[in-house]
Amino acid sequence: MWKKLGDHICKYWVIYLTLSSVYLAGVVFGALGVKALGASAASQLGDFLNTLLKNQPVDLNPVFLGQLARDVFIIMAGIWILGLTIIGAPLIYLIVFTRGFILGFTVSFIISFKGMLGLGLILVTVLVPALLGIPLLLLGAGLATIFSFLLLRGKARGESLRREFLYYTVAAAFVSLGAVFVGVSQGYFSVLGTRVLGL
């Protein structure tokens, strides 16, 4: 399986490199966006962050975990659906950029607002799950982009893509399940982070 995954990435390395660059650009713009905040907006976001941390579940609440799983599933399902359209590729890249922007903004703001305590919080609650979550997001987006391009080529040539559609759907399902698992694990790390750091 790992060999097939490696061969797949090598075959479509340009797409995955482009997606990675778009995600990285989103992270950079997100980090820069914190510096562009006015004093009033930064203060309001700081108050919101404190409220969020105070209301953070102290245990693994099933409702909280279910919300995390649902949010991740909606994102991955949206990417899969966009892959079924010829014009979906630009929107897929937009989703990837937005996810990168959210990560960059979140990390930069929490560190700037909480200092070293914020850095510890980010390391435990965000970066650990992101080590798996980001590759799964990029893989799902890559599969969708590739199939979108295959649709364009198939329409031009009058080809049937039933087999490719089956492969795409099965692969996307596995990637989505992995992403949902990572999303749920982020809830665990969130609880762990707030307990360890005493927030």
Side-chain angles (χ1 to χ4, degrees), residues 73-92:
F73 176 78
I74 289 173
I75 292 171
M76 299 306 293
I79 291 175
W80 175 76
I81 291 172
L82 288 173
L84 299 177
T85 64
I86 295 176
I87 61 174
L91 295 178
I92 294 170

Side-chain angles (χ1 to χ4, degrees), residues 110-178:
I110 292 179
I111 292 177
S112 64
F113 188 73
K114 290 289 187 180
M116 293 302 296
L117 194 62
L119 178 60
L121 181 65
I122 287 297
L123 288 174
V124 176
T125 64
V126 178
L127 294 185
V128 173
L131 291 176
L132 288 175
I134 294 173
L136 288 171
L137 172 67
L138 296 178
L139 183 58
L143 290 170
T145 303
I146 292 165
F147 189 77
S148 181
F149 288 155
L150 288 176
L151 280 177
L152 181 61
R153 187 185 68 180
K155 183 177 181 180
R157 298 180 180 179
E159 298 175 346
S160 174
L161 297 174
R162 291 181 181 178
R163 186 181 65 177
E164 288 80 1
F165 170 74
L166 179 61
Y167 288 160
Y168 167 55
T169 301
V170 171
F174 277 109
V175 172
S176 298
L177 286 175

Side-chain angles (χ1 to χ4, degrees), residues 24-124:
L24 182 60
V27 172
V28 172
F29 277 97
L32 294 175
V34 174
K35 297 181 179 179
L37 286 175
S40 176
S43 178
Q44 290 179 2
L45 279 176
D47 293 339
F48 175 75
L49 176 62
N50 287 330
T51 302
L52 195 65
L53 291 174
K54 289 178 181 178
N55 295 330
Q56 180 74 26
V58 295
D59 54 12
L60 296 178
N61 189 324
V63 176
F64 175 60
L65 297 179
Q67 180 65 48
L68 290 173
R70 184 164 56 250
D71 291 345
V72 174
F73 176 78
I74 289 173
I75 292 171
M76 299 306 293
I79 291 175
W80 175 76
I81 291 172
L82 288 173
L84 299 177
T85 64
I86 295 176
I87 61 174
L91 295 178
I92 294 170
Y93 278 74
L94 179 61
I95 291 176
V96 170
F97 178 86
T98 302
R99 299 302 297 176
F101 183 92
I102 292 172
L103 177 66
F105 187 91
T106 302
V107 170
S108 181
F109 180 77
I110 292 179
I111 292 177
S112 64
F113 188 73
K114 290 289 187 180
M116 293 302 296
L117 194 62
L119 178 60
L121 181 65
I122 287 297
L123 288 174
V124 176

